């Protein structure tokens, strides 16, 4: 059953021959809008502008320009320390245990307690309980080298909005768009 209030169409009551065509036109319009929004994000990224809603752990959005990232020194110290521990030969599990022992706030808890914004993840029970997945996630982020990375997930169909993780060759990387926390040559 198809009901269009604005057009006065109800397929249960009338036999409206134009309804399928209007449906096709509406779908084309949605697809076109989806492409335009995606291209505006690409254009911003090509200019070196940040397009995400939350800055990566270690950064904060510039209060003057929400499309620019600034280093959050307190969180950046934790990020640098994680990279240094990896260089020193520690594994992700050992790093997670060490940070938990030292009562270092996990990224979600840090974001909630800082003045930079609110976290989307409220499912943690202990704000100091790091896990190896969180450490690995920090280590794989190219943003810490000063790059903007787009297309981490790909929407296969604009109607279902179902997403999948992008393959490395599908990532769109714009280098040196903001100040790095980690020196790419050392890492």
């Amino acid at each position: 059953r198809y009901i269009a209030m604005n057009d006065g169409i109800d397929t249960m009551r009338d036999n409206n021959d134009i309804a399928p065509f209007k449906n096709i036109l509406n779908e084309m319009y949605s697809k076109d809008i989806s492409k335009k929004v995606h291209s505006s994000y690409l254009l911003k990224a090509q200019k070196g502008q940040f397009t995400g809603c939350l800055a990566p752990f270690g950064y904060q959005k510039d209060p003057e320009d929400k499309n620019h990232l600034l280093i959050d020194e307190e969180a950046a110290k934790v990020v640098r320390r994680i990279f240094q521990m990896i260089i020193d030969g520690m594994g992700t599990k050992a790093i997670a245990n060490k940070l938990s022992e030292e009562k270092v706030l996990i990224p979600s808890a840090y974001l909630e307690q800082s003045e930079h914004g609110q976290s989307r993840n409220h499912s943690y029970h202990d704000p100091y309980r790091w896990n190896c997945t969180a450490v690995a996630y920090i280590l794989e982020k190219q943003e810490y080298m000063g790059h903007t990375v787009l297309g981490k997930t790909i929407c296969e169909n604009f109607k279902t909005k179902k997403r999948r993780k992008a393959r490395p060759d599908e990532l769109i990387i714009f280098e040196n768009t903001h100040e790095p926390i980690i020196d790419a040559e050392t890492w």
Side-chain angles (χ1 to χ4, degrees), residues 6-187:
N6 290 341
D7 298 330
I9 298 172
D10 184 352
T11 55
M12 192 137 196
R13 283 190 276 136
D14 338 309
N15 185 6
N16 193 334
D17 295 333
I18 196 81
F21 297 105
K22 285 189 175 192
N23 191 23
I24 289 170
L25 289 173
N26 287 338
E27 188 170 314
M28 288 173 60
Y29 177 74
S30 296
K31 192 173 187 178
D32 184 50
I33 291 295
S34 177
K35 285 181 182 177
K36 287 179 181 176
V37 167
H38 181 71
S39 66
S40 74
Y41 278 111
L42 283 177
L43 188 62
K44 278 185 169 185
Q46 287 171 338
K47 293 178 184 175
Q49 297 177 333
F50 178 71
T51 59
C53 58
L54 292 175
F57 181 65
Y59 286 102
Q60 65 186 29
K61 286 185 174 185
D62 186 342
E64 306 289 320
D65 177 10
K66 68 177 183 160
N67 296 315
H68 182 251
L69 293 177
L70 298 174
I71 293 178
D72 176 358
E73 271 309 319
E74 189 177 339
K77 287 177 189 175
V78 176
V79 172
R80 288 185 192 106
R81 187 157 175 239
I82 289 171
F83 276 86
Q84 188 57 52
M85 285 191 263
I86 281 290
I87 290 170
D88 294 342
M90 290 178 77
T92 56
K93 180 85 172 151
I95 293 170
N97 289 338
K98 183 81 170 157
L99 293 172
S100 295
E101 275 175 30
E102 295 176 3
K103 300 279 188 208
V104 175
L105 284 172
I106 62 173
S108 295
Y110 176 79
L111 187 58
E112 276 188 357
Q113 292 184 13
S114 72
E115 70 276 358
H116 309 307
Q118 292 188 347
S119 171
R120 284 190 260 164
N121 180 8
H122 302 285
S123 63
Y124 58 85
H125 300 291
D126 181 357
Y128 304 107
R129 184 79 222 144
W130 283 78
N131 62 42
C132 54
T133 306
V135 173
Y137 185 68
I138 287 172
L139 290 168
E140 71 184 25
K141 285 183 96 44
Q142 295 184 42
E143 285 86 344
Y144 295 125
M145 287 19 152
H147 310 319
T148 296
V149 182
L150 292 180
K152 293 178 186 179
T153 60
I154 295 181
C155 184
E156 294 291 341
N157 185 337
F158 75 97
K159 288 190 272 184
T160 63
K161 304 217 187 312
K162 198 170 190 179
R163 303 188 77 77
R164 68 168 173 81
K165 188 174 180 180
R167 297 184 309 269
D169 63 313
E170 294 175 312
L171 294 174
I172 304 165
I173 302 169
F174 300 96
E175 296 185 351
N176 306 317
T177 57
H178 54 271
E179 190 178 349
I181 291 177
I182 303 300
D183 182 19
E185 292 175 16
T186 354
W187 180 241

